[in-house]
Amino acid sequence: MEETQWNELCSVFSLVSLSLYPDRLGWTLEPLDEFSVSSAHSFIDVGYLKCADIAKRWNSWVPIKLNVLMWRTRLGRIPTRESLSARGMEIDPILCPVCHYNLESIYNIFINCPLLKKIWGRIASWWSFDFPVELTVKGFISWANSIGRSSSVCEAFDAVIITTF
């Protein structure tokens, strides 16, 4: 080994400090350095997923891919024909393939298409709940929170809404 390499190696080792205590991993997001799932969820919600005051909200009764779909829907990140066309992709036609009347937008795909309005009406009738006042994606996503029932009923109804989406 050349002398310059030896000197560089020695300078690196001089920066290393060894401890008499055993190594351990710490979770800096908790005061006691112990990992918890709730602190990881909070860290992800606040640090990475929060966009326009929309945090992720998971429903444990449905598959993860449906929770991700709802999260992407709340963010407006669904590749509809309208949004793809706005990004410069040539898509013809950009009308809804079901009703052939409205533009295929997030609003139309999940709420406004005439066929879907019938489905939403039947779900409201099936559960004996009032139809949401606010006919928006956000209104439908928060529909389960507005029914004023027990948390288990709200979670079950939310699972029906997510699955229908």
Side-chain angles (χ1 to χ4, degrees):
M1 184 180 291
E2 293 180 22
E3 187 175 340
T4 57
Q5 289 176 329
W6 177 255
N7 290 336
E8 288 176 13
L9 189 59
C10 287
S11 67
V12 169
F13 282 127
S14 69
L15 299 175
V16 174
S17 74
L18 299 176
S19 171
L20 298 175
Y21 301 105
D23 291 340
R24 71 183 279 290
L25 291 174
W27 182 252
T28 59
L29 299 178
E30 289 289 326
L32 299 176
D33 285 344
E34 292 184 12
F35 174 79
S36 73
V37 173
S38 65
S39 68
H41 273 275
S42 298
F43 176 72
I44 291 170
D45 280 347
V46 172
Y48 292 101
L49 300 181
K50 195 157 186 168
C51 179
D53 295 329
I54 299 174
K56 72 166 184 45
R57 180 180 58 100
W58 299 130
N59 184 318
S60 62
W61 293 27
V62 298
I64 191 76
K65 64 183 178 180
L66 293 181
N67 283 308
V68 171
L69 172 68
M70 294 304 291
W71 172 63
R72 292 187 66 204
T73 301
R74 285 192 301 270
L75 292 175
R77 300 279 201 269
I78 304 295
T80 63
R81 292 176 184 216
E82 178 188 44
S83 67
L84 293 173
S85 177
R87 293 182 188 147
M89 292 184 71
E90 291 185 27
I91 298 176
D92 191 39
I94 62 173
L95 296 178
C96 174
V98 176
C99 68
H100 303 287
Y101 181 70
N102 298 317
L103 288 178
E104 187 191 64
S105 64
I106 291 177
Y107 175 67
N108 189 66
I109 287 174
F110 295 113
I111 296 162
N112 195 44
C113 186
L115 175 64
L116 289 172
K117 282 184 177 179
K118 289 180 186 176
I119 293 171
W120 288 121
R122 288 184 180 180
I123 288 173
S125 173
W126 169 41
W127 282 76
S128 302
F129 294 150
D130 294 329
F131 204 71
V133 177
E134 187 181 356
L135 285 178
T136 63
V137 173
K138 183 180 177 184
F140 270 79
I141 290 172
S142 61
W143 187 6
N145 298 336
S146 66
I147 60 174
R149 302 289 168 86
S150 70
S151 62
S152 60
V153 171
C154 289
E155 191 168 18
F157 185 60
D158 188 48
V160 170
I161 293 169
I162 292 170
T163 305
T164 305
F165 262 70

